[in-house]
């Protein structure tokens, strides 16, 4: 199956943006520039390049493009366990397609309504709207949590309990600035540090 270069979530937005820009150009000429800026921004936001994940058996890969903002041992509230948490913050210029960090079976999906504070803040993990999936693997359990941000107003998740996911497989999308938290067994070893930029579907977050 051919991988679309532009995420399907953005097709209607882009159609409307470029149609508005063309109409504005016809009606007001150079005053249409703000419409073209918005159209170009939307085009870069909804880009969704294909990625080939590393196939190392012990690798957990980044579920999103962005910057690492958390690497710490915490309590995973979804599976009630001690875990290694690694969080990736996506700004509006990052690719917002979310990918499975591991191969495994979806054992649970939890949606939690909430607020929309800056996703760069720690409290976003517990206060913001979010959607978590539990992925079971032979090496252990992984919780991947999509979190809405200050501007983001919609989390899209396309998997259900019982689905099989392959490492790097696209499973969701978050619109306009957000975050993904990954909870791993406490014995996992982080391969990234705070402030590091990562590429979804390609960068190795941790090994276990």
């Amino acid at each position: 199956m051919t991988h679309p270069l532009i995420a399907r979530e953005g097709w209607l937005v882009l159609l409307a943006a470029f149609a508005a820009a063309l109409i504005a150009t016809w009606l007001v000429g150079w005053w249409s520039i703000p419409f073209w800026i918005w159209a170009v921004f939307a085009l870069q936001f909804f880009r969704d390049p294909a990625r080939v994940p590393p196939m190392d058996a012990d690798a957990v890969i980044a579920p999103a493009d962005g910057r690492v903002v958390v690497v710490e041992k915490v309590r995973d509230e979804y599976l009630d366990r001690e875990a290694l948490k690694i969080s990736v913050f996506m700004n509006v210029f990052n690719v917002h397609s979310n990918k499975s960090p591991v191969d495994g079976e979806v054992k649970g999906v939890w949606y939690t309504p909430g607020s929309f504070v800056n996703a760069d803040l720690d409290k976003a993990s517990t206060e913001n709207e979010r959607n978590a999936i539990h992925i079971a693997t032979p090496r252990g359990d992984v919780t991947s949590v999509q979190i809405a941000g200050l501007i983001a107003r919609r989390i899209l998740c396309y998997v259900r309990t019982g689905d099989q996911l392959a490492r790097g497989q696209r499973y969701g999308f978050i619109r306009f600035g957000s975050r993904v938290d990954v909870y791993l067994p406490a014995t996992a070893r982080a391969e990234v540090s705070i402030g590091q930029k990562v590429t979804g579907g390609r960068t190795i977050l941790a090994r276990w």
Side-chain angles (χ1 to χ4, degrees):
M1 182 177 180
T2 303
H3 184 92
L5 293 177
I6 302 300
R8 62 182 181 272
E9 293 85 357
W11 291 350
L12 288 179
V13 174
L14 288 169
L15 180 62
F18 278 95
L22 289 169
I23 292 171
T25 300
W26 179 61
L27 293 175
V28 296
W30 287 104
W31 292 101
S32 65
I33 289 177
F35 290 89
W36 284 106
I37 291 174
W38 165 249
V40 172
F41 167 77
L43 182 64
Q44 72 82 33
F45 181 86
F46 286 107
R47 70 195 189 283
D48 191 11
R51 303 271 171 74
V52 178
M55 298 311 294
D56 310 37
D58 63 345
V60 177
I61 64 170
D65 288 15
R67 175 172 52 88
V68 176
V69 292
V70 172
V71 179
E72 64 180 3
K73 296 290 180 65
V74 299
R75 190 79 184 168
D76 176 357
E77 63 176 301
Y78 301 97
L79 300 185
D80 191 24
R81 59 168 180 169
E82 293 301 314
L84 171 65
K85 175 183 176 182
I86 302 177
S87 301
V88 177
F89 171 73
M90 295 172 277
N91 64 37
V92 294
F93 298 106
N94 292 130
V95 172
H96 275 59
S97 175
N98 302 139
K99 298 170 172 58
S100 176
V102 292
D103 300 320
E105 180 181 352
V106 178
K107 290 293 189 180
V109 179
W110 302 278
Y111 169 75
T112 305
S115 57
F116 299 95
V117 302
N118 188 345
D120 201 4
L121 302 176
D122 287 343
K123 64 181 180 179
S125 292
T126 56
E127 295 185 11
N128 280 19
E129 176 179 319
R130 54 201 181 275
N131 189 84
I133 63 172
H134 167 202
I135 308 171
T137 83
R139 290 178 176 265
D141 295 308
V142 175
T143 311
S144 186
V145 189
Q146 299 168 285
I147 301 173
L150 185 64
I151 303 173
R153 285 295 185 271
R154 192 170 185 197
I155 296 173
L156 302 171
C157 179
Y158 301 122
V159 296
R160 292 183 254 182
T161 299
D163 287 351
Q164 293 288 333
L165 282 173
R167 188 180 328 191
Q169 180 180 334
R170 190 183 195 276
Y171 80 88
F173 197 92
I174 316 177
R175 289 179 179 165
F176 304 119
S178 44
R179 165 179 176 152
V180 178
D181 291 345
V182 177
Y183 296 88
L184 303 167
T187 53
R189 183 180 76 255
E191 293 286 307
V192 293
S193 56
I194 293 176
Q196 181 176 335
K197 292 183 179 179
V198 297
T199 301
R202 187 175 296 164
T203 303
I204 296 176
L205 282 188
R207 294 186 185 274
W208 55 358

